[in-house]
Amino acid sequence: MRLSGRIIRGIGGFYYVYTEHGIIECRARGKFRISNIVPIVGDNVDIDTENLKDGFIINIHNRKNELVRPPVSNVDQAIITFSIVNPALNRLQLDKMIILVELNGIHPVICINKIDLVTEDVFAPLYNLYKNLGYDVIATSKFDNIGIDKLKAMIIGKTSFFTGPSGVGKSSLINCIQGTNKQEIGDLSEKLLRGKHTTRNVELIPFENGYVLDTPGFTSLNLDIDETELKYYFRDFRNYELDCRFKSCLHINEPDCGVKIAVSNGLIDKIRYSNYLNLYNELKSNKRRRY
Ligand SMILES: Nc1nc2c(ncn2[C@@H]2O[C@H](COP(=O)(O)OP(=O)(O)O)[C@@H](O)[C@H]2O)c(=O)[nH]1
Ligand SMILES: [Mg+2]
Ligand SMILES: [Zn+2]
């Protein structure tokens, strides 16, 4: 019998395919090895099964997108989760993450979690900054039960990838929206003690006609773009770069730069601009190292 489904987990050559008849344990047919395609979590596949328990993957549908770390395909949106304190927010890391997600053709959702730990005048400016740039932003707290229903509504029918630093509450949020305790949570100190070797398997959790993916948190992020293209990922610049004297202006040292004027007038957020400069320099020095 031929069925279609989605790979939700892969361990040692076995792929667990979620189908209308439940989860079927599959192996890949040799032809994938010949064409150099390795099935990954997230793939939509056709399988062949006799008993609805195990079977073979016979076809992998074209991927809409594909992430390398963690290896997962066909992601619709990334819930970029951060807290403002405990752990402290690193705005450079946040802006870098947004760009990384957009580069991969994935819709970013910015989730400011643990808002029970700060007052509104602390998180509202951040919320408004990204909201005004046109991003989907959500403020959440598991203890005060804020934003959980909104988050739930945002993930229905989609494949959502929770990402963000360790300890910000990704696993907790997934537990909250599912109403379970399936995801392992822990405090920061515990996690740091356990160290880097706690790489868990990538697993898609079927939920509300969609899927969620928990990740252990990122350590290093590499943007794979030329530094001259970075400016296109800063929406803040769009209205002001028309005022730059040069069309090729990178908004760094050029004279009559509309972006720099907007920064000094407070029309563009200063930290966003300084993150742009930091990332620009980082990309430039990475390139130098490569050659
Ligand atoms: N104050 C507060 N703490 C939270 C919240 N969400 C999670 N935590 C705590 O933060 C710690 C890390 O949570 P966890 O879900 O494991 O974070 P993860 O590493 O991003 O998956 C745990 O001790 C949680 O209880 C929240 O909304 N408010
Ligand atoms: Mg976690
Ligand atoms: Zn400029």
Side-chain angles (χ1 to χ4, degrees), residues 175-190:
N175 283 340
C176 280
I177 54 182
Q178 290 191 106
T180 65
N181 277 318
K182 278 192 216 141
Q183 297 307 112
E184 186 200 343
I185 66 161
D187 51 46
L188 205 52
S189 51
E190 250 174 70

Side-chain angles (χ1 to χ4, degrees), residues 170-171 184 191 200 214-215:
K170 300 178 295 296
S171 301
E184 186 200 343
K191 282 183 179 156
R200 245 181 306 135
D214 196 1
T215 61

Side-chain angles (χ1 to χ4, degrees), residues 91 95 129 132-133 231 234-244 251 257-277:
R91 294 236 350 231
D95 286 337
L129 169 65
N132 291 336
L133 290 173
K231 62 176 181 176
F234 279 79
R235 305 173 173 193
D236 340 33
F237 300 171
R238 271 178 209 164
N239 286 333
Y240 307 105
E241 52 199 356
L242 301 168
D243 300 332
C244 297
H251 323 308
C257 170
V259 168
K260 278 196 291 181
I261 294 168
V263 173
S264 60
N265 292 341
L267 296 166
I268 291 176
D269 181 73
K270 287 201 165 53
I271 296 178
R272 287 275 296 170
Y273 180 68
S274 83
N275 288 345
Y276 168 72
L277 295 180

